[in-house]
Amino acid sequence: MGHSVVNYTLTMLSDLHRALKKPVRERHWVMVVDQRKCIGCNSCTVACRAENVVPPGVVYIIVMEEEVGTYPNVRRRFTTRPCMQCQNPPCTKVCPVHATWKRADGVTIVDYKQCIGCRYCMAACPYGARTFDFGDFYTKDTPEFQPYESTHSYEIGNKWARKGQRSPIHNVRKCHFCLHRVHKGMLPACVATCLGRALYFGDLNDPKSLVSRMAVHYKGYRLKEDLGTEPSVYYLS
Amino acid sequence: MKRNPLNILFFLAFVVLALVGIPGWYDRFVHGHRNVGYGQVITWGLWVAFYIHMLAVCAGSYLFSTLYYVFGVERFRRPARAALWISLVAIIGGQLSILIDMGHVERFWKIIFSPNFGSVLTVTAWLYGIFLGLVVLQLFFDIRSERHQQSSLAERDRRITRLLSILGLPVVLSFHGGEGALLGVMASRPYWNSPLLPFMFLVSALSTGMATLAFFFAFFDRDGRASGETQRLVRSLSAYALGFLGLYVLMEFTAIFINLYGSVYANVETFHMILYGPFWYVFWIVHLGIGGALPAWLLLVGRRSVAAMGLASGLMAVTFFAAKLNVVIPGMVNPAFRNLLTGYKDPRYVAFYTPTWNEWLIVLGILGLCGILFGLGCRYLPLFPNRGNQKEVAS
């Protein structure tokens, strides 16, 4: 697997196009996070924010920092945490109105027009991957409101603009693996932007795909596997 | 109920509380959830705790009323209807509090028309609806049973009232136990994920409901004072309330001991937060001191006058809210990962919660509205069965 960064990207794009030709139920989108390559630059978080026009307080992907060891033998470890897109998600079953569910391709999504904003799913998520849109804006109380904050986002194939108290304001929001990009043959914003090439995306059901080979070859582990949630994010360390 | 200066004073106090709530309602409807203290880690706050507290008052009062309506304990006939009314008022207050907490209040009907019965929240919401209908019908038939001239018609209404109460009993046990299950089912929250929680909720409901009733009868039921009926009733109710409070505290300390001894980080951290954290006084001073030790002293050592027993009960009823806060908030204090909060900096992305003024104002406003509704019921509904009938039934 000694590819260059460019090759990795091209391989993932080629895997993506191959997966898109299959029926949805035969795909299983997964992400692989190579912790050895993550430099903690947070560019994934920034790219995600720009792509999904997320307001302050709402965050889909974060990079957790940890200091390991004692001086002089100290190193920092970074753990990128998008939504785990669990195959057995504890968050969907608690929703009182069927506003969130797992798609056939393994991605858990939220229907903003159905969500009542009770935040029960947030409490049920063992990964802290859901956040609530409180209706905040970065520049609302400043001399000049910046129009980019109310530009459209295209989450889950719909066009959303944050205005007044309309959805997605007062909804629970979460990472959706940038399905709107993926369906157009593009990689999720975080994967496309990752500087250290620590993030990989693809179809686990395709044995030839890069993510499938990496998860198996490097014996990827998953966070909190003991909970039986069957996350779709694999970590290499 | 006849007017007296104390009743008018309480009613005015509730009107003031309702007015105090207006700025909070305004802010909630104009600015949405912007000016609230809860955030992305502690996702529920004062409104959810208050909702659970009001449901405890509702469930406890209703369970007490079944002593007469279902089990026929004749000495509780007089307070039973008032207990039903308190139960109805409390569930309305609780529902207001949870509706205001929802992101999209205007979509509450989706729980009715597109429910997910796999969610405990849906099941409890439906049970509230059923319960609300049952209580309204029960009150209607119970009041009507006294107005019939023919004894056969009165008897028919009494039978319907009893049937409704028999139906209401499992519903109320399910929805308040279910409220505990709503938190208890979350495997990702070790503090909540305990089979003890639904039972703790039921015990707290019995204590809170009976304490509320004792407070009410001590200060508002002037008619029964001459015969000593009020004194006997308040003494029984406050003693039961204290007993159930004792049981609840025992359950709390069992949970504390087991979890601290177990030394699992997530559990220990939560209990340390409750016992020694920045809000230690909520547990030690408000819940155990003002809400436990002081009422116990008033009831067991003091003069045991009706006013003292009423005061002790009022303290128990109000401060049980502190116990509910200590169930809801600490359960979310530990983020999903120890270093989760290192990944993103934002005022809402913190494991700390202090209610804002708006949250308090709305809680006070709801309390005021409940008080007004309760007062109006006392004034315009025959909440106390007339004494002539009582003697007739007793004989």
Side-chain angles (χ1 to χ4, degrees):
Chain A
M1 292 200 195
H3 298 295
S4 70
V5 169
V6 175
N7 276 349
Y8 279 132
T9 307
L10 291 176
T11 309
M12 280 191 284
L13 284 170
S14 141
D15 293 347
L16 195 63
H17 288 121
R18 200 164 56 246
L20 287 172
K21 286 177 188 154
K22 297 199 292 184
V24 176
R25 66 179 180 281
E26 288 178 23
R27 303 172 202 154
H28 180 188
W29 299 124
V30 298
M31 200 173 274
V32 173
V33 181
D34 192 340
Q35 288 179 284
R36 300 163 301 182
K37 289 185 178 175
C38 180
I39 56 172
C41 67
N42 289 300
S43 62
C44 52
T45 310
V46 175
C48 172
R49 303 189 73 75
E51 174 66 32
N52 294 301
V53 199
V54 289
V58 176
V59 62
Y60 293 171
I61 182 168
I62 59 167
V63 182
M64 300 185 284
E65 296 181 28
E66 192 182 0
E67 203 166 271
V68 184
T70 48
Y71 181 83
N73 301 311
V74 186
R75 63 191 172 86
R76 292 188 82 73
R77 194 165 74 161
F78 303 104
T79 308
T80 309
R81 194 244 48 203
C83 170
M84 297 291 129
Q85 314 295 358
C86 304
Q87 294 312 290
N88 181 23
C91 54
T92 55
K93 67 178 85 162
V94 300
C95 176
V97 292
H98 293 293
T100 180
W101 65 90
K102 182 167 75 76
R103 285 164 46 101
D105 55 12
V107 178
T108 298
I109 56 168
V110 180
D111 179 351
Y112 291 151
K113 286 181 181 164
Q114 181 72 7
C115 173
I116 59 172
C118 67
R119 310 187 295 287
Y120 196 18
C121 55
M122 287 172 72
C125 175
Y127 302 98
R130 287 173 175 256
T131 45
F132 184 68
D133 190 333
F134 281 87
D136 295 328
F137 290 86
Y138 287 104
T139 58
K140 187 151 192 167
D141 299 320
T142 61
E144 193 177 347
F145 178 74
Q146 296 300 312
Y148 77 86
E149 289 206 68
S150 56
T151 51
H152 292 104
S153 67
Y154 295 89
E155 294 182 51
I156 319 160
N158 288 314
K159 202 171 169 184
W160 304 100
R162 294 179 73 252
K163 275 179 190 159
Q165 293 187 30
R166 277 183 294 168
S167 291
I169 287 175
H170 294 166
N171 284 134
V172 170
R173 303 177 65 173
K174 67 179 282 297
C175 159
H176 39 81
F177 274 180
C178 282
L179 279 179
H180 57 287
R181 285 173 60 94
V182 170
H183 289 162
K184 300 278 182 196
M186 293 185 282
L187 293 168
C190 54
V191 178
T193 315
C194 181
L195 290 185
R197 181 42 69 222
L199 297 179
Y200 301 87
F201 179 81
D203 177 20
L204 189 71
N205 284 350
D206 178 0
K208 289 181 193 160
S209 71
L210 183 62
V211 285
S212 183
R213 286 181 286 148
M214 288 183 90
V216 174
H217 182 77
Y218 294 114
K219 295 185 177 63
Y221 75 96
R222 296 179 292 181
L223 297 178
K224 298 189 180 183
E225 271 194 278
D226 53 313
L227 294 179
T229 50
E230 299 290 331
S232 298
V233 179
Y234 291 80
Y235 290 84
L236 310 178
S237 64
Chain B
M1 183 181 277
K2 289 172 194 163
R3 278 184 194 164
N4 71 56
L6 190 68
N7 293 2
I8 294 169
L9 196 71
F10 266 102
F11 192 77
L12 287 176
F14 284 127
V15 171
V16 170
L17 281 181
L19 292 174
V20 160
I22 291 173
W25 293 100
Y26 171 81
D27 184 82
R28 169 63 187 83
F29 284 110
V30 174
H31 298 123
H33 284 258
R34 284 185 70 195
N35 300 319
V36 292
Y38 48 82
Q40 309 295 8
V41 180
I42 296 174
T43 58
W44 292 327
L46 200 65
W47 295 335
V48 172
F50 185 66
Y51 148 78
I52 294 174
H53 182 64
M54 291 302 271
L55 289 185
V57 175
C58 162
S61 305
Y62 191 83
L63 287 172
F64 174 77
S65 80
T66 61
L67 288 176
Y68 167 70
Y69 290 115
V70 177
F71 301 104
V73 181
E74 211 40 63
R75 71 190 172 106
F76 293 136
R77 177 171 187 259
R78 193 170 141 70
R81 196 182 292 161
L84 272 186
W85 181 245
I86 289 177
S87 181
L88 180 64
V89 170
I91 199 168
I92 292 171
Q95 295 307 310
L96 274 178
S97 189
I98 201 66
L99 280 174
I100 211 70
D101 184 77
M102 279 167 53
H104 286 277
V105 189
E106 76 283 2
R107 294 180 189 162
F108 83 94
W109 56 269
K110 285 182 186 280
I111 298 181
I112 301 163
F113 293 107
S114 54
N116 171 16
F117 285 111
S119 167
V120 184
L121 188 58
T122 311
V123 175
T124 50
W126 272 67
L127 288 173
Y128 301 144
I130 294 167
F131 178 76
L132 206 62
L134 285 174
V135 174
V136 170
L137 284 175
Q138 200 179 330
L139 269 169
F140 171 76
F141 283 109
D142 192 30
I143 291 170
R144 202 177 71 165
S145 70
E146 271 192 355
R147 299 194 169 175
H148 285 302
Q149 299 298 319
Q150 283 183 29
S151 61
S152 61
L153 290 175
E155 187 52 38
R156 188 197 62 186
D157 278 359
R158 273 198 286 272
R159 273 205 305 273
I160 295 173
T161 309
R162 182 158 190 265
L163 178 69
L164 290 167
S165 192
I166 290 169
L167 291 172
L169 183 60
V171 172
V172 80
L173 285 172
S174 308
F175 84 60
H176 203 60
E179 206 57 49
L182 193 143
L183 304 178
V185 294
M186 278 188 254
S188 57
R189 307 277 175 180
Y191 178 66
W192 289 338
N193 189 217
S194 157
L196 203 61
L197 206 58
F199 295 102
M200 286 179 82
F201 271 49
L202 285 175
V203 171
S204 79
L206 288 166
S207 178
T208 318
M210 291 196 187
T212 309
L213 286 169
F215 172 78
F216 165 70
F217 281 100
F219 291 107
F220 296 96
D221 181 26
R222 301 261 154 190
D223 301 345
R225 283 207 172 187
S227 61
E229 196 183 344
T230 303
Q231 186 147 8
R232 282 195 296 276
L233 182 65
V234 172
R235 186 179 296 145
S236 319
L237 284 168
S238 54
Y240 288 137
L242 186 66
F244 285 119
L245 173 67
L247 183 58
Y248 185 86
V249 173
L250 182 70
M251 286 170 148
E252 277 183 319
F253 274 93
T254 309
I256 290 170
F257 171 74
I258 288 173
N259 284 288
L260 289 188
Y261 194 84
S263 301
V264 174
Y265 159 76
N267 301 350
V268 172
E269 196 79 346
T270 310
F271 282 100
H272 278 182
M273 181 69 78
I274 294 168
L275 301 174
Y276 325 115
F279 298 107
W280 61 272
Y281 54 86
V282 174
F283 181 75
W284 294 108
I285 307 285
V286 184
H287 175 39
L288 291 188
I290 303 170
L294 185 57
W297 183 82
L298 284 168
L299 291 173
L300 302 174
V301 184
R303 284 197 306 124
R304 303 181 72 185
S305 63
V306 174
M309 290 189 287
L311 177 67
S313 305
L315 287 174
M316 281 190 277
V318 173
T319 55
F320 230 116
F321 182 40
K324 292 294 152 62
L325 274 171
N326 266 339
V327 169
V328 176
I329 314 300
M332 293 177 286
V333 158
N334 282 324
F337 300 96
R338 284 189 83 163
N339 47 354
L340 181 79
L341 306 182
T342 59
Y344 178 68
K345 303 292 178 202
D346 187 272
R348 294 202 191 275
Y349 213 67
V350 288
F352 189 80
Y353 168 67
T354 314
T356 59
W357 275 106
N358 295 323
E359 288 174 75
W360 279 113
L361 290 178
I362 286 187
V363 163
L364 293 176
I366 293 174
L367 205 59
L369 290 174
C370 288
I372 291 171
L373 196 58
F374 176 72
L376 292 174
C378 289
R379 184 81 188 97
Y380 296 107
L381 290 175
L383 289 185
F384 297 98
N386 63 57
R387 290 178 172 277
N389 271 4
Q390 194 176 353
K391 280 173 192 157
E392 200 179 284
V393 171
S395 64

